[in-house]
Amino acid sequence: MKASELADALGLPLVGDPGREIATLAPLERAGPDELSFVVGARLRAAMCASRAGVLIVPEALAADCPVDHLISPAPYASYAQASWLLTPELRPAPGIHASAHIDPTATLGKDVSVGAFTSVGAGARVGDGVILGDGCRIAAGVEIGAGTRLFDNVCLSYRVTLGEHCRVQSGAVIGGEGFGYAPTAEGWSAIHQTGGVRIENRVHIGVNTTIDAGAIDATVIEDGVIIDNLIQVGHNVFIGQNTAIAACAAIGGSARIGRNCLIGGATAINGHIEIADGVTVTGTSFVSRSIDTPGSYGSAVPLQAAREWRRTFAALSRLDELLKRVRRLEKATSKLES
Amino acid sequence: MKASELADALGLPLVGDPGREIATLAPLERAGPDELSFVVGARLRAAMCASRAGVLIVPEALAADCPVDHLISPAPYASYAQASWLLTPELRPAPGIHASAHIDPTATLGKDVSVGAFTSVGAGARVGDGVILGDGCRIAAGVEIGAGTRLFDNVCLSYRVTLGEHCRVQSGAVIGGEGFGYAPTAEGWSAIHQTGGVRIENRVHIGVNTTIDAGAIDATVIEDGVIIDNLIQVGHNVFIGQNTAIAACAAIGGSARIGRNCLIGGATAINGHIEIADGVTVTGTSFVSRSIDTPGSYGSAVPLQAAREWRRTFAALSRLDELLKRVRRLEKATSKLES
Amino acid sequence: MKASELADALGLPLVGDPGREIATLAPLERAGPDELSFVVGARLRAAMCASRAGVLIVPEALAADCPVDHLISPAPYASYAQASWLLTPELRPAPGIHASAHIDPTATLGKDVSVGAFTSVGAGARVGDGVILGDGCRIAAGVEIGAGTRLFDNVCLSYRVTLGEHCRVQSGAVIGGEGFGYAPTAEGWSAIHQTGGVRIENRVHIGVNTTIDAGAIDATVIEDGVIIDNLIQVGHNVFIGQNTAIAACAAIGGSARIGRNCLIGGATAINGHIEIADGVTVTGTSFVSRSIDTPGSYGSAVPLQAAREWRRTFAALSRLDELLKRVRRLEKATSKLES
């Protein structure tokens, strides 16, 4: 790709040789003369000045000092994200239904749909234009998939799941499993039939082996632009607001309500039935034990110590209550001594 | 469904119009004249009195105040669970073997079995009456599945797994993977062959993408009526007693023994080789670091704080040991001053 | 298997009857006259002396006291691991391609390869000699799999994944999903195309439903002899050094670098972009919040308490900062009183 083509595609001004050929992306410190990289801010000025990249995407403020050809962007990282799809285009299977796939005759498929080997599509399912279903996917009866969505391999969409447009679902993810709702009885647990399904809006990304359960009566809902990493559990009737990002291995309890534009760190657990306001950040490995009604950063992760030190801290911790009492006694004794 | 039919099916007395048509379930605050809901206790009296539901399931103590038609139940939530399957019956595939399934000729299938597309059943496997195997399931050679059990899609049952009757296994669950047992050697880790398999009794429910490993010599065992949510790891040779419930993302170390009627909260980790008595509750996100021999509630989850506050707490925590020493010094000094 | 054959296969001296028939393995306390067990050290001397096993594998130091036939080993547990594969040999499907498998005509398969039912192998994939692919596996275009490697069922290897020789990948594992890399923009999250793939070296074991993401530009790398348990997330561009062992449900953030010969406990979370030195042990359920540059044992897991006690500890913990101030005041007052 020529530098000028890249500039046009990204809509950015190019300073340098328009005919320079750019083959691929590379990290800033390693990028060579046919590679593209980027600089987000002043912190990387020195690395930029030492760079031998073919083209750098830089912010206005650093452009004057940039020693190599560059594109000036108000958001270099976002421009770089765009460039990553231009320079290393996605491998997409050609439209068509693999001979081994099983499509129920009552399912409707849009234009230019690709269905992989051993994928099954159930009765009445509706698959939009340009959808890609990988190999071994299970699309239950009645499921709806919006235009431009891609499922990788062995993805399961169960009964009453709707997926919007331009979503991306990684391999092994299961959407619409039965929510974990049981009434205790004298004879043991009695399951409540979970019939609410899952409604996923547009441009939602769902990670590998992530599980999103069907709601009990109402649907589990994931709004536009949410990104969800791998091995995440989303319980029944959870609501996740627009553009919230959730890192790997988070566990979200049933009926939790997460606002818009939240950042949920990895391996975080969120209690069922709580509410998190818009714009909340939860640091990784935390336990959201209660609702959060004010935007800001929250956490409960315990930082690492050497094991020996940690054992000592914990021995002390279990004596904390007693310590409080001893300090109270000392305060009384001291005030008596003082008077 | 007529109210009288519902009353008969649930075995509950109906107060009101026997001919009223009930279409579906709804939450108490939203249920309309053709919908069923329920009230568990006095806490919901006001909501009950405001309800416009067609029929409510209520406890005896609230029946007199109930403004709408109602069924009187000693356990309204359990009755509601039953009703959920009557009013919104499960979609069940018709019995029959999908043309694309691969059944080894030495496998034996009971009456009215349903096998989905692209499912493979190995040599000598025995599948009981009325079993439903979804699409893309892998039933290894010799596996036994009891009558009335349902596997959803892409479920794997490996070598030496037996599943009892009326179990329910959600999509992507894998039962019988090789347990994580290794001997260290000078050349690296040397695996111990795990040949004990998994024995799962009756009415066990297993969640999406949950993993239950095969035992080393003896089987991993899950007793009757256990319910296990999504993304849970059950290590090799674990034992889980009758009717225990385990919420999502729990991690259970090898050879742990969990008693009957326990409640294990989500994202809880249980150490290998420990024992938990019958009737123990572990609150979510805890670490069961040691055996528990007395019924009751246990936990170690750290509650959430604002990040800034949390950092301050942790700075103090790391000085706890020192603080103890300072208090000891103060106590000596004060007692000297007092005498 | 005769005791003498076992001795020959393990390369260990036999004390006792060379013709004794050994049928299988058993735990020390239960092993009968046709069973093999082992004793690791002096801690088990009493159990050894009471054993009725057909043959025991014992260390030199205990051999004189062993009441039954025995093999003397410098590493009894490692010898036992070897013996487990001899006495209960692995069930391996015969070489051959299942009639239902789909192999792209441009893929190349080595000698004695076994491909299971409904498995798909993409264009240009290269599968080494003696490889076993289970049922329902997805081998993307261009993937390379070294000789002697075994994949169980429903395993997905995505674009740009290479697996070395003699690896073992459990069912449902997904290698090469798209890493979780996004740039924030005014319109929402913009994904960065992840094209670095995954490079897994030799003798690596990967657990059930574990997920290993593709790197952004460079590969995610797992060196020789690493063992990884179930439901583990390995983020993009992670590096895991030789012979490191990671227990179930660990979450490893993107670009984390874990050294060689580390032991990572179950349900542990490791921050992205941190480095862990060779020879580090992290106890289970910890949060590796920062880099570790010195070998040794580290942790942050909070030990279990009864729930009531735990609530009291935590109430006190939140007052810790205030307590520190009170002790400081007491110290001043006391020193004033003393002078």
Side-chain angles (χ1 to χ4, degrees), chain B residues 270-276 287-294 298-299, chain C residues 303-306 309:
Chain B
I270 298 179
N271 238 345
H273 296 274
I274 62 121
E275 293 195 22
I276 298 179
F287 173 39
V288 183
S289 49
R290 56 171 175 82
S291 289
I292 302 176
D293 57 11
T294 313
Y298 298 80
Chain C
L304 197 77
Q305 300 192 15
E309 204 181 324

Side-chain angles (χ1 to χ4, degrees), chain A residues 292-331:
Chain A
I292 303 176
D293 57 11
T294 312
S297 182
Y298 297 81
S300 74
V302 179
L304 197 77
Q305 299 192 15
R308 180 207 306 237
E309 206 182 323
W310 185 242
R311 274 192 295 273
R312 218 185 298 135
T313 299
F314 260 93
L317 187 60
S318 66
R319 299 174 59 189
L320 196 52
D321 198 47
E322 175 216 320
L323 188 66
L324 264 175
K325 286 181 196 143
R326 286 162 65 184
V327 168
R328 218 169 293 135
R329 269 201 303 274
L330 277 170
E331 285 169 337

Side-chain angles (χ1 to χ4, degrees), chain A residues 87-104:
Chain A
L87 286 169
T88 53
E90 187 179 1
L91 279 187
R92 297 170 71 91
I97 314 296
H98 194 276
S100 65
H102 172 71
I103 317 281
D104 187 279

Side-chain angles (χ1 to χ4, degrees), chain B residues 100 118 120 138 159 172 178 182 189 191-193 209 213 217-218 233 287 289 297 299-301 312 326 333, chain C residues 30 77 80 84-85 88 91 118 135 154 168 170 205 208-209 230 243 285 302 304-305 307 310 321 331 338:
Chain B
S100 65
F118 311 119
S120 40
R138 313 290 157 221
Y159 179 58
E178 296 183 304
Y182 292 85
W189 298 101
I192 290 135
H193 195 198
N209 283 351
D213 272 358
I217 291 175
D218 298 321
Q233 151 74 350
F287 173 39
S289 49
S297 183
S300 73
R312 216 184 301 134
R326 285 161 66 186
Chain C
R30 209 183 67 199
Y77 191 34
Y80 177 79
S84 72
W85 298 89
T88 54
L91 280 187
F118 310 119
D135 292 3
N154 289 3
R168 232 170 148 82
Q170 301 292 319
H205 287 204
V208 179
N209 283 350
N230 297 355
N243 295 330
T285 328
V302 178
L304 197 77
Q305 300 192 15
W310 185 241
D321 198 46
E331 286 169 338
E338 282 173 329

